[in-house]
Amino acid sequence: MPETLSAAPQSFDDLLSEAAVQTPTEFYNRLREQEPVYWNPRWNGWIVTGYRDVMAGFRDHERLSSDRFAGPFAKDMADSGSRYRQLIDFMNHWMFTKDRPYHTHLRSLVNTAFTPRSVEVLRPRIQQLTASLAESLRGRDRVNLMAEFAFTLPVIVIAEYLGIPPESRENLRAWSDDLGAVVFFQGGNQDRFETGGKAMEQLAELIRPIVRDRARNPREDLISGMVHAELDGDRFLEDEIISNVVLMVFAGHETTMNLIANGVVAFDRFPGEWQRLADDQGLARTAVEEVLRYDGPIRALARWAREPFELSGRRIDTNDRVLLVQHAANHDPTFFPHADRFDVGRWPNKHLAFGQGIHTCVGAPLARLEAQEAFAYLAREFSAVEVLTPDLRYSRNLVSRSLLGLEVRLHER
Ligand code: HEM
């Protein structure tokens, strides 16, 4: 066989290829080994895969911007902007799309609401919900784990915490999926701005009256906290509150759903780890960190360069896009011994699944609490959660690691 055929170098240009989406660990491991800071002409930006560089990228707020409405992302937004004004205006208030100092202002809306101590009060309710949802699945031949457990638990928790009444929660998943297509750069979805725009409109319509009601009748919920929050004597604008409530509805369940689902898949591949967790429930904390590292819900996040600088010997120019691939960093063998092994006792485990720096996930303590309770309960009650879906498929996008479906059987102990 001619050498060109047998040794054709793999192309790393199509980040939405089958290999990149379905088997990102192998794909990005190879890229990290060959070129840890790689210029991708097709995406028109740098792909960063080494742990040290990804960490540095997240922390470099001076030279790397998160502002989707400036720099090279602005064109995507502007092209669609005039038709989807409301979508763009609301996303323009999302804290994760902004830089300092406006980011600091927006983040102070919720800074204290998600500390480990604040979310601890939710633990009994999370335990009760976990038990009742899991018990309803007992004895069934097939369970749609995403729809019947992994989605339901976090959506109820975040909706209750925010103060969104049960009768208004029905469409949250569909609307979040539509917003996700915009936020996660979904491939092959030409209508994403259209459907995302409609979803944003409907979410805003749902949340606006609740915000207005809480202004007059405050309750013990997060929306009331946001409406009455003050920064240096100033209140927040109504649209700032509404858009960040939408962000929390979206970020608060989509990612946690994927954490639970990806964890179930990891345990299915490493059944010994399931038994370890069942035998020692104290491992729930490190087990969840290991799921986050091994197959976390966010695969990569984009930034753009405000000024030229060097990263591992490559020159990044002003306005270049930079993709920080957390999934690759979390499998970097220099930082994680036996990185491709799933070890529920792994410690220390300084993964980058929640990002780093000023944008570090504000909801991390809540996501951790939910996932710890979910896995502890399932491992205690069931000898296995067997994956039945023969060919697992993941959403074709750059950012999230999200299964399109997951059918399982829960085996009795
Ligand atoms: C396992 C679940 C979760 C994962 C893996 C995750 C991941 C992340 C990551 C990587 C970021 C950083 C974004 C960036 O640097 O551009 C982030 C930010 C954020 N997350 Fe999460 N998240 C999760 C759960 C949650 C939950 C439960 C909530 C809300 C209740 C939430 C709300 C947010 C918000 C509001 C931000 C923006 C913070 C900022 O820009 O200052 N997330 N998340």
Side-chain angles (χ1 to χ4, degrees):
M1 198 185 281
E3 211 177 278
T4 44
L5 280 184
S6 62
Q10 169 168 7
S11 164
F12 293 106
D13 291 345
D14 186 359
L15 299 178
L16 297 179
S17 66
E18 179 79 2
V21 171
Q22 290 293 121
T23 49
T25 311
E26 289 80 352
F27 180 89
Y28 286 108
N29 275 354
R30 274 198 298 273
L31 179 54
R32 191 185 51 242
E33 283 155 19
Q34 289 178 28
E35 237 180 298
V37 179
Y38 170 73
W39 174 258
N40 181 325
R42 186 153 165 183
W43 187 65
N44 200 19
W46 296 97
I47 314 301
V48 181
T49 44
Y51 182 91
R52 199 182 294 277
D53 291 337
V54 173
M55 167 81 97
F58 274 120
R59 290 186 173 172
D60 193 343
H61 309 296
E62 297 311 315
R63 294 182 300 190
L64 286 176
S65 167
S66 286
D67 195 332
R68 308 293 191 278
F69 303 92
F73 299 104
K75 189 176 171 310
D76 293 354
M77 294 293 174
D79 287 350
S80 45
S82 51
R83 287 180 64 204
Y84 309 115
R85 200 62 264 161
Q86 192 177 21
L87 176 68
I88 307 293
D89 286 349
F90 273 114
M91 284 173 68
N92 211 357
H93 292 307
W94 279 2
M95 65 185 90
F96 89 95
T97 69
K98 306 315 297 179
D99 293 331
R100 286 189 288 219
Y102 189 44
H103 168 265
T104 316
H105 170 79
L106 292 175
R107 181 132 175 163
S108 66
L109 258 177
V110 290
N111 245 348
T112 54
F114 289 99
T115 61
R117 190 187 287 194
S118 315
V119 299
E120 188 54 35
V121 297
L122 304 175
R123 189 185 291 274
R125 175 66 178 143
I126 291 172
Q127 285 172 334
Q128 183 199 21
L129 272 171
T130 305
S132 76
L133 288 170
E135 288 310 316
S136 71
L137 310 177
R138 202 184 275 280
R140 302 246 311 271
D141 280 350
R142 281 186 106 78
V143 166
N144 177 344
L145 193 87
M146 306 286 272
E148 299 181 75
F149 185 84
F151 161 75
T152 330
L153 174 67
V155 85
I156 297 178
V157 172
I158 192 67
E160 284 184 359
Y161 196 30
L162 283 164
I164 299 175
E167 63 278 10
S168 310
R169 295 178 200 157
E170 200 180 314
N171 296 317
L172 292 184
R173 173 141 198 216
W175 292 335
S176 292
D177 283 350
D178 291 343
L179 278 186
V182 177
V183 179
F184 298 150
F185 306 93
Q186 195 172 77
N189 182 351
Q190 303 307 329
D191 303 329
R192 63 198 180 106
F193 280 100
E194 179 81 39
T195 47
K198 280 197 191 125
M200 182 67 95
E201 240 169 67
Q202 282 162 311
L203 278 160
E205 254 171 52
L206 169 78
I207 289 160
R208 194 181 300 279
I210 306 177
V211 166
R212 291 191 176 161
D213 173 70
R214 299 304 192 271
R216 293 185 303 273
N217 313 302
R219 296 194 197 169
E220 289 290 306
D221 57 33
L222 194 50
I223 294 184
S224 301
M226 292 165 83
V227 171
H228 294 277
E230 282 185 18
L231 187 68
D232 303 329
D234 283 336
R235 292 278 171 88
F236 291 85
L237 301 173
E238 187 177 83
D239 278 357
E240 288 175 337
I241 295 169
I242 294 171
S243 44
N244 284 286
V245 172
V246 170
L247 173 60
M248 264 167 306
V249 168
F250 168 64
H253 75 272
E254 171 81 23
T255 44
T256 312
M257 168 181 85
N258 293 328
L259 175 62
I260 295 172
N262 295 357
V264 162
V265 173
F267 277 113
D268 184 69
R269 284 195 195 133
F270 294 84
E273 297 303 289
W274 187 254
Q275 196 49 46
R276 251 179 104 191
L277 175 59
D279 293 342
D280 179 0
Q281 294 262 290
L283 286 174
R285 196 165 67 91
T286 50
V288 167
E289 298 311 304
E290 181 66 342
V291 176
L292 284 158
R293 182 196 70 82
Y294 182 78
D295 202 9
I298 304 285
R299 205 169 30 175
L301 287 165
R303 300 287 195 259
W304 64 274
R306 283 201 259 224
E307 55 184 83
F309 66 101
E310 281 229 343
L311 192 62
S312 282
R314 306 302 301 262
R315 185 189 152 90
I316 316 285
D317 275 321
T318 307
N319 274 343
D320 281 356
R321 302 192 205 208
V322 178
L323 191 70
L324 304 171
V325 187
Q326 291 139 282
H327 189 94
N330 289 341
H331 287 261
D332 188 336
T334 332
F335 283 84
F336 300 100
H338 309 291
D340 296 338
R341 190 186 296 163
F342 178 66
D343 168 6
V344 295
R346 187 185 289 272
W347 200 256
N349 189 346
K350 294 191 162 85
H351 61 74
L352 301 178
F354 287 122
Q356 276 286 318
I358 62 169
H359 292 284
T360 300
C361 178
V362 79
L366 178 60
R368 285 182 160 125
L369 177 58
E370 291 178 49
Q372 288 163 9
E373 290 300 332
F375 285 116
Y377 189 88
L378 292 173
R380 193 166 65 234
E381 292 294 322
F382 300 97
S383 63
V385 180
E386 182 195 0
V387 172
L388 300 178
T389 310
D391 177 24
L392 293 172
R393 307 297 302 168
Y394 291 84
S395 170
R396 204 168 152 258
N397 72 69
L398 276 186
V399 177
S400 81
R401 174 81 172 146
S402 173
L403 277 163
L404 296 175
L406 178 60
E407 299 230 311
V408 300
R409 181 177 302 137
L410 289 91
H411 291 266
E412 293 292 338
R413 282 217 168 269

